[in-house]
Amino acid sequence: MSASSASAPGRVNLLGEHTDYNDGFVLPTAIPQHTRVEVGPAPRFVLHALGRKTEFSLERAPEEQSAKYVYGCLRELQAAGFPVPPLEIRVESEVPMGVGLSSSAALEVATLRALRSYAGFELDDVKLAQLAQAAEVRHAGVRCGIMDQMASSLAEPGRMLFLDTRTLERRVLPMPEGTAIAVLDSGITRSLASSGYNERRAQCEDACRRLGVKALRDVTGVEALEELPDLLLRRARHVVTENARVLAALEADAPRFGELMDASHRSLREDYEVSTPEMDELVQRLRAQPGVFGARLTGAGFGGACVALCRAGTTRAAAEGALARYSGRGRLLVA
Ligand code: GLA
């Protein structure tokens, strides 16, 4: 077999944060940056990524974190009945890492796409996203939902992917008319991201047990949450109202969409408590720029990136205006 290569984009989530592991709704879009993976025949498994060379076998997980994502994909393919021969794998990525734009999902999806074309596996884009998620959960130790892998596998830049994470029903929709997005890095490292993320998941599960529902998706009004203790009430209220915001966004024009993003940020800050003071400042500075309809943190939170919905043609000026006044060290990622 001769070498094959494939690429996959990172994603930015516009609305629907911390809803995917609650069987809820999400609204991501693809970013222009991609990860590219090339695979070719080799006597044993060799990975070249991030300037490092890692040799491994399918019997034992490699130590290095980025190698675990690739290893996980190969193991999940094998477990699904697709035979994986020894390979030389080369990874190059433009997707910013560690800021909440799913560089790991882009790596997983690009790896699986490259393998699909190399070995001719019959694997549709949804199944591919599911294998990518399983790779991350089982082999990279992150209990993520399905949003990032579905977005990397199925979203397009400049369009929104509406996804019901329970049924995997989805629709690709245009952005609100006359808009474009700006994505900025707050410069704050997501140090609590994995412990905080797992803690939020556990709190949602606790709320479900107390409410007697399968998932918070099944709660439609906040009145039903009144019996919960305060902390769980706030966590659950974020999820319930965030799902409603995603559904409202499907019909929204640009100003309304912006209001929904602002409300999402407030809810993530006050009820879900995954923002930081620096992120709040950057989001505030973005909102104050001409042409900005709304802004919010994006991804799991605890630092990382934020996204603004802007009038088309104003994204760069808005991003630069916000960064010039920001007291931290941010940077422009997409405009
Ligand atoms: C991370 C996870 C996703 C999702 C978001 C929060 O990106 O990988 O599955 O839960 O956080 O919305």
Side-chain angles (χ1 to χ4, degrees):
M1 278 184 268
S2 56
S4 289
S5 69
S7 69
R11 66 99 187 92
V12 60
N13 192 21
L14 302 175
L15 269 178
E17 217 64 84
H18 291 280
T19 50
D20 64 350
Y21 53 84
N22 289 297
D23 276 1
F25 308 114
V26 295
L27 202 56
T29 182
I31 58 172
Q33 292 94 332
H34 280 71
T35 295
R36 183 161 201 84
V37 173
E38 189 184 305
V39 298
R44 63 188 88 78
F45 288 97
V46 190
L47 170 68
H48 303 269
L50 299 173
R52 231 173 284 152
K53 179 177 169 190
T54 313
E55 292 197 18
F56 62 95
S57 76
L58 289 188
E59 280 70 57
R60 197 154 155 267
E63 297 289 319
E64 213 263 306
Q65 186 65 20
S66 66
K68 285 186 183 163
Y69 297 114
V70 172
Y71 167 83
C73 290
L74 305 179
R75 285 291 304 269
E76 288 305 315
L77 273 173
Q78 210 183 30
F82 299 103
V84 179
L87 300 162
E88 178 164 45
I89 304 166
R90 290 183 183 273
V91 176
E92 274 170 39
S93 185
E94 308 157 341
V95 182
M97 291 175 64
V99 294
L101 299 182
S102 296
S103 58
S104 58
L107 172 57
E108 292 148 7
V109 171
T111 300
L112 289 167
R113 281 182 175 169
L115 257 295
R116 174 170 69 184
S117 90
Y118 176 73
F121 295 148
E122 280 200 25
L123 202 55
D124 66 36
D125 291 340
V126 172
K127 179 70 185 154
L128 190 144
Q130 289 170 319
L131 292 179
Q133 184 207 15
E136 182 138 353
V137 173
R138 298 208 186 108
H139 304 279
V142 185
R143 274 188 80 205
C144 61
I146 189 82
M147 166 170 70
D148 302 345
Q149 291 77 15
M150 283 292 281
S152 184
S153 184
L154 290 141
E156 301 166 20
R159 316 244 284 155
M160 314 188 288
L161 176 72
F162 168 66
L163 174 69
D164 178 337
T165 63
R166 171 171 276 171
T167 62
L168 298 187
E169 277 166 45
R170 61 205 173 272
R171 269 187 281 156
V172 176
L173 303 164
M175 298 284 298
E177 208 180 325
T179 65
I181 55 163
V183 182
L184 303 184
D185 177 10
S186 67
I188 303 299
T189 316
R190 298 184 310 152
S191 50
L192 278 175
S194 80
S195 58
Y197 186 85
N198 290 338
E199 186 187 64
R200 297 302 181 282
R201 273 196 85 137
Q203 289 164 343
C204 290
E205 284 159 10
D206 191 2
C208 286
R209 269 191 300 275
R210 290 167 189 254
L211 294 168
V213 294
K214 181 163 174 283
L216 288 176
R217 150 73 175 275
D218 300 310
V219 180
T220 45
V222 288
E223 316 74 46
L225 306 175
E226 271 160 23
E227 63 193 75
L228 292 174
D230 181 64
L231 181 82
L232 295 186
L233 183 147
R234 288 187 292 118
R235 300 295 188 255
R237 185 167 58 198
H238 165 71
V239 175
V240 171
T241 58
E242 186 77 351
N243 277 327
R245 283 186 284 273
V246 175
L247 296 179
L250 302 180
E251 310 289 320
D253 61 6
R256 176 75 187 124
F257 200 109
E259 284 169 12
L260 293 164
M261 290 174 79
D262 292 348
S264 169
H265 187 79
R266 271 197 303 280
S267 176
L268 287 161
R269 183 183 68 214
E270 286 158 25
D271 277 351
Y272 222 62
E273 296 180 286
V274 293
S275 189
T276 67
E278 298 84 356
M279 179 65 84
D280 294 339
E281 184 202 332
L282 187 56
V283 164
Q284 200 52 48
R285 302 243 180 251
L286 269 168
R287 260 190 220 123
Q289 298 302 310
V292 172
F293 294 110
R296 58 184 286 276
L297 72 82
T298 186
F302 306 98
C306 57
V307 58
L309 186 76
C310 308
R311 183 166 293 121
T314 68
T315 49
R316 186 163 283 272
E320 284 169 359
L323 285 172
R325 288 167 187 79
Y326 177 47
S327 59
R329 277 174 168 266
R331 66 188 164 129
L332 178 60
L333 298 173
V334 177

